Amino acid sequence: MLFYDNINYFLQEYNAWEKTYTSFEGTLNEFDNENFLQFNPTFFRSSIDPVGTRLVNLQWDFEGDYSVYDIVDDETLKTLTLAYRSSSNDYFELYVINESTIELYHPSSKTVYEFREKGYQEYLKAGKGAVEKKRKKTSNPIMKVKRSRDI
């Protein structure tokens, strides 16, 4: 639950997220080609570089805004919307597998993706004192949807 309570910090805590799995089930879609994600406080980036590419060599192909939503009456589900600046939006159900792995389920294609963290970076709030740097539970906008995927 700690990861879900602080999901925005968790996503931003790594230099990138590398795709480690794509399900055989699901229809082909443009997101299949994206192998790396990076979440910053105000935007995201993604890359189609091959899996295994070193972080310093990544070329960020896409950029845009992202939103994480809390779900009414479901504490173990978040949704993630990627709003690409160059095209449309992608919508996912977001699940935390463990402290280094997330799963994105793309309901429109019925495809499951797993991403593993790359390059830990400690996320601290601005400020000099311990109180200013202390994390607080994030407040995300609320979305009224039902879980599409059974796990």
Side-chain angles (χ1 to χ4, degrees), residues 4-22:
Y4 286 104
D5 286 345
N6 295 292
I7 194 71
N8 293 303
Y9 296 128
F10 179 60
L11 293 174
Q12 296 167 27
E13 205 163 45
Y14 300 100
N15 291 322
W17 292 87
E18 181 177 27
K19 188 187 298 176
T20 56
Y21 172 79
T22 302

PDB file of all heavy atoms in Angstrom, residues 4-22:
ATOM      1  N   TYR A   4       1.373   2.500  -3.470  1.00  0.00           N
ATOM      2  CA  TYR A   4       0.168   3.098  -4.035  1.00  0.00           C
ATOM      3  C   TYR A   4      -0.103   4.470  -3.430  1.00  0.00           C
ATOM      4  O   TYR A   4      -0.554   5.383  -4.112  1.00  0.00           O
ATOM      5  CB  TYR A   4      -1.040   2.175  -3.835  1.00  0.00           C
ATOM      6  CG  TYR A   4      -1.021   0.986  -4.752  1.00  0.00           C
ATOM      7  CD1 TYR A   4      -0.663  -0.270  -4.284  1.00  0.00           C
ATOM      8  CD2 TYR A   4      -1.368   1.110  -6.088  1.00  0.00           C
ATOM      9  CE1 TYR A   4      -0.645  -1.374  -5.127  1.00  0.00           C
ATOM     10  CE2 TYR A   4      -1.357   0.018  -6.943  1.00  0.00           C
ATOM     11  CZ  TYR A   4      -0.995  -1.218  -6.456  1.00  0.00           C
ATOM     12  OH  TYR A   4      -0.974  -2.295  -7.294  1.00  0.00           O
ATOM     13  N   ASP A   5       0.167   4.628  -2.117  1.00  0.00           N
ATOM     14  CA  ASP A   5      -0.053   5.913  -1.466  1.00  0.00           C
ATOM     15  C   ASP A   5       0.886   6.989  -1.992  1.00  0.00           C
ATOM     16  O   ASP A   5       0.573   8.168  -1.946  1.00  0.00           O
ATOM     17  CB  ASP A   5       0.139   5.795   0.052  1.00  0.00           C
ATOM     18  CG  ASP A   5      -1.012   5.074   0.730  1.00  0.00           C
ATOM     19  OD1 ASP A   5      -2.073   4.910   0.093  1.00  0.00           O
ATOM     20  OD2 ASP A   5      -0.842   4.668   1.889  1.00  0.00           O
ATOM     21  N   ASN A   6       2.055   6.590  -2.469  1.00  0.00           N
ATOM     22  CA  ASN A   6       3.071   7.531  -2.950  1.00  0.00           C
ATOM     23  C   ASN A   6       3.452   7.236  -4.403  1.00  0.00           C
ATOM     24  O   ASN A   6       4.616   7.338  -4.771  1.00  0.00           O
ATOM     25  CB  ASN A   6       4.316   7.446  -2.049  1.00  0.00           C
ATOM     26  CG  ASN A   6       4.015   7.905  -0.651  1.00  0.00           C
ATOM     27  OD1 ASN A   6       3.763   9.075  -0.423  1.00  0.00           O
ATOM     28  ND2 ASN A   6       4.007   6.978   0.291  1.00  0.00           N
ATOM     29  N   ILE A   7       2.487   6.896  -5.211  1.00  0.00           N
ATOM     30  CA  ILE A   7       2.763   6.412  -6.560  1.00  0.00           C
ATOM     31  C   ILE A   7       3.514   7.435  -7.409  1.00  0.00           C
ATOM     32  O   ILE A   7       4.397   7.069  -8.189  1.00  0.00           O
ATOM     33  CB  ILE A   7       1.455   5.949  -7.259  1.00  0.00           C
ATOM     34  CG1 ILE A   7       1.770   5.141  -8.510  1.00  0.00           C
ATOM     35  CG2 ILE A   7       0.529   7.114  -7.552  1.00  0.00           C
ATOM     36  CD1 ILE A   7       2.335   3.786  -8.245  1.00  0.00           C
ATOM     37  N   ASN A   8       3.220   8.714  -7.274  1.00  0.00           N
ATOM     38  CA  ASN A   8       3.917   9.718  -8.084  1.00  0.00           C
ATOM     39  C   ASN A   8       5.394   9.770  -7.743  1.00  0.00           C
ATOM     40  O   ASN A   8       6.247   9.819  -8.630  1.00  0.00           O
ATOM     41  CB  ASN A   8       3.265  11.086  -7.909  1.00  0.00           C
ATOM     42  CG  ASN A   8       1.878  11.116  -8.499  1.00  0.00           C
ATOM     43  OD1 ASN A   8       1.697  10.838  -9.675  1.00  0.00           O
ATOM     44  ND2 ASN A   8       0.891  11.414  -7.677  1.00  0.00           N
ATOM     45  N   TYR A   9       5.723   9.741  -6.449  1.00  0.00           N
ATOM     46  CA  TYR A   9       7.129   9.711  -6.036  1.00  0.00           C
ATOM     47  C   TYR A   9       7.797   8.433  -6.531  1.00  0.00           C
ATOM     48  O   TYR A   9       8.933   8.449  -6.996  1.00  0.00           O
ATOM     49  CB  TYR A   9       7.268   9.785  -4.516  1.00  0.00           C
ATOM     50  CG  TYR A   9       6.779  11.069  -3.913  1.00  0.00           C
ATOM     51  CD1 TYR A   9       5.869  11.049  -2.865  1.00  0.00           C
ATOM     52  CD2 TYR A   9       7.244  12.304  -4.357  1.00  0.00           C
ATOM     53  CE1 TYR A   9       5.429  12.227  -2.288  1.00  0.00           C
ATOM     54  CE2 TYR A   9       6.805  13.482  -3.785  1.00  0.00           C
ATOM     55  CZ  TYR A   9       5.893  13.437  -2.745  1.00  0.00           C
ATOM     56  OH  TYR A   9       5.470  14.593  -2.182  1.00  0.00           O
ATOM     57  N   PHE A  10       7.083   7.323  -6.410  1.00  0.00           N
ATOM     58  CA  PHE A  10       7.621   6.028  -6.826  1.00  0.00           C
ATOM     59  C   PHE A  10       7.986   6.038  -8.310  1.00  0.00           C
ATOM     60  O   PHE A  10       9.067   5.597  -8.703  1.00  0.00           O
ATOM     61  CB  PHE A  10       6.609   4.934  -6.505  1.00  0.00           C
ATOM     62  CG  PHE A  10       7.029   3.550  -6.895  1.00  0.00           C
ATOM     63  CD1 PHE A  10       8.181   2.979  -6.372  1.00  0.00           C
ATOM     64  CD2 PHE A  10       6.267   2.797  -7.772  1.00  0.00           C
ATOM     65  CE1 PHE A  10       8.566   1.689  -6.720  1.00  0.00           C
ATOM     66  CE2 PHE A  10       6.641   1.513  -8.124  1.00  0.00           C
ATOM     67  CZ  PHE A  10       7.793   0.964  -7.601  1.00  0.00           C
ATOM     68  N   LEU A  11       7.119   6.548  -9.147  1.00  0.00           N
ATOM     69  CA  LEU A  11       7.399   6.597 -10.593  1.00  0.00           C
ATOM     70  C   LEU A  11       8.588   7.493 -10.910  1.00  0.00           C
ATOM     71  O   LEU A  11       9.371   7.201 -11.809  1.00  0.00           O
ATOM     72  CB  LEU A  11       6.170   7.087 -11.361  1.00  0.00           C
ATOM     73  CG  LEU A  11       4.960   6.173 -11.362  1.00  0.00           C
ATOM     74  CD1 LEU A  11       3.778   6.854 -12.033  1.00  0.00           C
ATOM     75  CD2 LEU A  11       5.269   4.836 -12.013  1.00  0.00           C
ATOM     76  N   GLN A  12       8.737   8.568 -10.158  1.00  0.00           N
ATOM     77  CA  GLN A  12       9.806   9.537 -10.405  1.00  0.00           C
ATOM     78  C   GLN A  12      11.125   9.150  -9.751  1.00  0.00           C
ATOM     79  O   GLN A  12      12.154   9.770 -10.007  1.00  0.00           O
ATOM     80  CB  GLN A  12       9.385  10.911  -9.868  1.00  0.00           C
ATOM     81  CG  GLN A  12       8.185  11.487 -10.568  1.00  0.00           C
ATOM     82  CD  GLN A  12       7.604  12.676  -9.835  1.00  0.00           C
ATOM     83  OE1 GLN A  12       8.311  13.376  -9.120  1.00  0.00           O
ATOM     84  NE2 GLN A  12       6.316  12.911 -10.014  1.00  0.00           N
ATOM     85  N   GLU A  13      11.108   8.102  -8.943  1.00  0.00           N
ATOM     86  CA  GLU A  13      12.284   7.736  -8.159  1.00  0.00           C
ATOM     87  C   GLU A  13      13.385   7.068  -8.984  1.00  0.00           C
ATOM     88  O   GLU A  13      14.483   6.862  -8.502  1.00  0.00           O
ATOM     89  CB  GLU A  13      11.839   6.793  -7.039  1.00  0.00           C
ATOM     90  CG  GLU A  13      12.708   6.780  -5.850  1.00  0.00           C
ATOM     91  CD  GLU A  13      11.999   6.170  -4.655  1.00  0.00           C
ATOM     92  OE1 GLU A  13      11.349   5.122  -4.798  1.00  0.00           O
ATOM     93  OE2 GLU A  13      12.104   6.770  -3.585  1.00  0.00           O
ATOM     94  N   TYR A  14      13.093   6.753 -10.227  1.00  0.00           N
ATOM     95  CA  TYR A  14      14.060   6.073 -11.091  1.00  0.00           C
ATOM     96  C   TYR A  14      14.320   6.910 -12.325  1.00  0.00           C
ATOM     97  O   TYR A  14      13.443   7.609 -12.816  1.00  0.00           O
ATOM     98  CB  TYR A  14      13.552   4.676 -11.457  1.00  0.00           C
ATOM     99  CG  TYR A  14      13.341   3.835 -10.218  1.00  0.00           C
ATOM    100  CD1 TYR A  14      12.085   3.660  -9.679  1.00  0.00           C
ATOM    101  CD2 TYR A  14      14.438   3.272  -9.572  1.00  0.00           C
ATOM    102  CE1 TYR A  14      11.917   2.919  -8.513  1.00  0.00           C
ATOM    103  CE2 TYR A  14      14.274   2.535  -8.410  1.00  0.00           C
ATOM    104  CZ  TYR A  14      13.010   2.368  -7.888  1.00  0.00           C
ATOM    105  OH  TYR A  14      12.855   1.650  -6.733  1.00  0.00           O
ATOM    106  N   ASN A  15      15.529   6.801 -12.847  1.00  0.00           N
ATOM    107  CA  ASN A  15      15.885   7.548 -14.060  1.00  0.00           C
ATOM    108  C   ASN A  15      15.050   7.109 -15.248  1.00  0.00           C
ATOM    109  O   ASN A  15      14.784   7.902 -16.145  1.00  0.00           O
ATOM    110  CB  ASN A  15      17.367   7.372 -14.378  1.00  0.00           C
ATOM    111  CG  ASN A  15      18.244   8.058 -13.360  1.00  0.00           C
ATOM    112  OD1 ASN A  15      17.920   9.132 -12.873  1.00  0.00           O
ATOM    113  ND2 ASN A  15      19.352   7.427 -13.023  1.00  0.00           N
ATOM    114  N   ALA A  16      14.664   5.851 -15.266  1.00  0.00           N
ATOM    115  CA  ALA A  16      13.822   5.334 -16.348  1.00  0.00           C
ATOM    116  C   ALA A  16      13.186   4.026 -15.888  1.00  0.00           C
ATOM    117  O   ALA A  16      13.619   3.415 -14.905  1.00  0.00           O
ATOM    118  CB  ALA A  16      14.644   5.099 -17.616  1.00  0.00           C
ATOM    119  N   TRP A  17      12.176   3.616 -16.630  1.00  0.00           N
ATOM    120  CA  TRP A  17      11.541   2.312 -16.473  1.00  0.00           C
ATOM    121  C   TRP A  17      11.719   1.584 -17.797  1.00  0.00           C
ATOM    122  O   TRP A  17      11.353   2.109 -18.844  1.00  0.00           O
ATOM    123  CB  TRP A  17      10.052   2.478 -16.143  1.00  0.00           C
ATOM    124  CG  TRP A  17       9.814   3.056 -14.795  1.00  0.00           C
ATOM    125  CD1 TRP A  17       9.758   4.385 -14.463  1.00  0.00           C
ATOM    126  CD2 TRP A  17       9.625   2.333 -13.588  1.00  0.00           C
ATOM    127  NE1 TRP A  17       9.546   4.518 -13.126  1.00  0.00           N
ATOM    128  CE2 TRP A  17       9.453   3.273 -12.556  1.00  0.00           C
ATOM    129  CE3 TRP A  17       9.586   0.974 -13.272  1.00  0.00           C
ATOM    130  CZ2 TRP A  17       9.235   2.906 -11.235  1.00  0.00           C
ATOM    131  CZ3 TRP A  17       9.365   0.610 -11.959  1.00  0.00           C
ATOM    132  CH2 TRP A  17       9.197   1.565 -10.957  1.00  0.00           C
ATOM    133  N   GLU A  18      12.294   0.379 -17.748  1.00  0.00           N
ATOM    134  CA  GLU A  18      12.575  -0.399 -18.953  1.00  0.00           C
ATOM    135  C   GLU A  18      11.557  -1.528 -19.093  1.00  0.00           C
ATOM    136  O   GLU A  18      11.313  -2.277 -18.151  1.00  0.00           O
ATOM    137  CB  GLU A  18      13.985  -0.988 -18.878  1.00  0.00           C
ATOM    138  CG  GLU A  18      14.374  -1.783 -20.100  1.00  0.00           C
ATOM    139  CD  GLU A  18      15.810  -2.287 -20.010  1.00  0.00           C
ATOM    140  OE1 GLU A  18      16.329  -2.489 -18.886  1.00  0.00           O
ATOM    141  OE2 GLU A  18      16.417  -2.474 -21.067  1.00  0.00           O
ATOM    142  N   LYS A  19      10.993  -1.656 -20.294  1.00  0.00           N
ATOM    143  CA  LYS A  19      10.017  -2.714 -20.539  1.00  0.00           C
ATOM    144  C   LYS A  19      10.712  -4.071 -20.491  1.00  0.00           C
ATOM    145  O   LYS A  19      11.728  -4.282 -21.147  1.00  0.00           O
ATOM    146  CB  LYS A  19       9.350  -2.524 -21.897  1.00  0.00           C
ATOM    147  CG  LYS A  19       8.182  -3.479 -22.132  1.00  0.00           C
ATOM    148  CD  LYS A  19       7.632  -3.405 -23.537  1.00  0.00           C
ATOM    149  CE  LYS A  19       7.086  -2.067 -23.870  1.00  0.00           C
ATOM    150  NZ  LYS A  19       6.649  -1.981 -25.275  1.00  0.00           N
ATOM    151  N   THR A  20      10.161  -4.973 -19.695  1.00  0.00           N
ATOM    152  CA  THR A  20      10.730  -6.311 -19.566  1.00  0.00           C
ATOM    153  C   THR A  20       9.782  -7.399 -20.051  1.00  0.00           C
ATOM    154  O   THR A  20      10.181  -8.551 -20.175  1.00  0.00           O
ATOM    155  CB  THR A  20      11.100  -6.604 -18.104  1.00  0.00           C
ATOM    156  OG1 THR A  20       9.941  -6.436 -17.283  1.00  0.00           O
ATOM    157  CG2 THR A  20      12.214  -5.674 -17.634  1.00  0.00           C
ATOM    158  N   TYR A  21       8.535  -7.025 -20.328  1.00  0.00           N
ATOM    159  CA  TYR A  21       7.551  -8.033 -20.726  1.00  0.00           C
ATOM    160  C   TYR A  21       6.412  -7.365 -21.480  1.00  0.00           C
ATOM    161  O   TYR A  21       5.947  -6.289 -21.098  1.00  0.00           O
ATOM    162  CB  TYR A  21       6.988  -8.735 -19.481  1.00  0.00           C
ATOM    163  CG  TYR A  21       5.826  -9.652 -19.741  1.00  0.00           C
ATOM    164  CD1 TYR A  21       6.025 -10.929 -20.256  1.00  0.00           C
ATOM    165  CD2 TYR A  21       4.528  -9.242 -19.470  1.00  0.00           C
ATOM    166  CE1 TYR A  21       4.956 -11.768 -20.502  1.00  0.00           C
ATOM    167  CE2 TYR A  21       3.451 -10.079 -19.708  1.00  0.00           C
ATOM    168  CZ  TYR A  21       3.669 -11.334 -20.219  1.00  0.00           C
ATOM    169  OH  TYR A  21       2.614 -12.174 -20.463  1.00  0.00           O
ATOM    170  N   THR A  22       5.974  -8.021 -22.548  1.00  0.00           N
ATOM    171  CA  THR A  22       4.760  -7.663 -23.270  1.00  0.00           C
ATOM    172  C   THR A  22       3.981  -8.952 -23.476  1.00  0.00           C
ATOM    173  O   THR A  22       4.532  -9.940 -23.973  1.00  0.00           O
ATOM    174  CB  THR A  22       5.073  -7.025 -24.651  1.00  0.00           C
ATOM    175  OG1 THR A  22       5.882  -5.867 -24.451  1.00  0.00           O
ATOM    176  CG2 THR A  22       3.796  -6.643 -25.366  1.00  0.00           C
TER     177      THR A  22
END
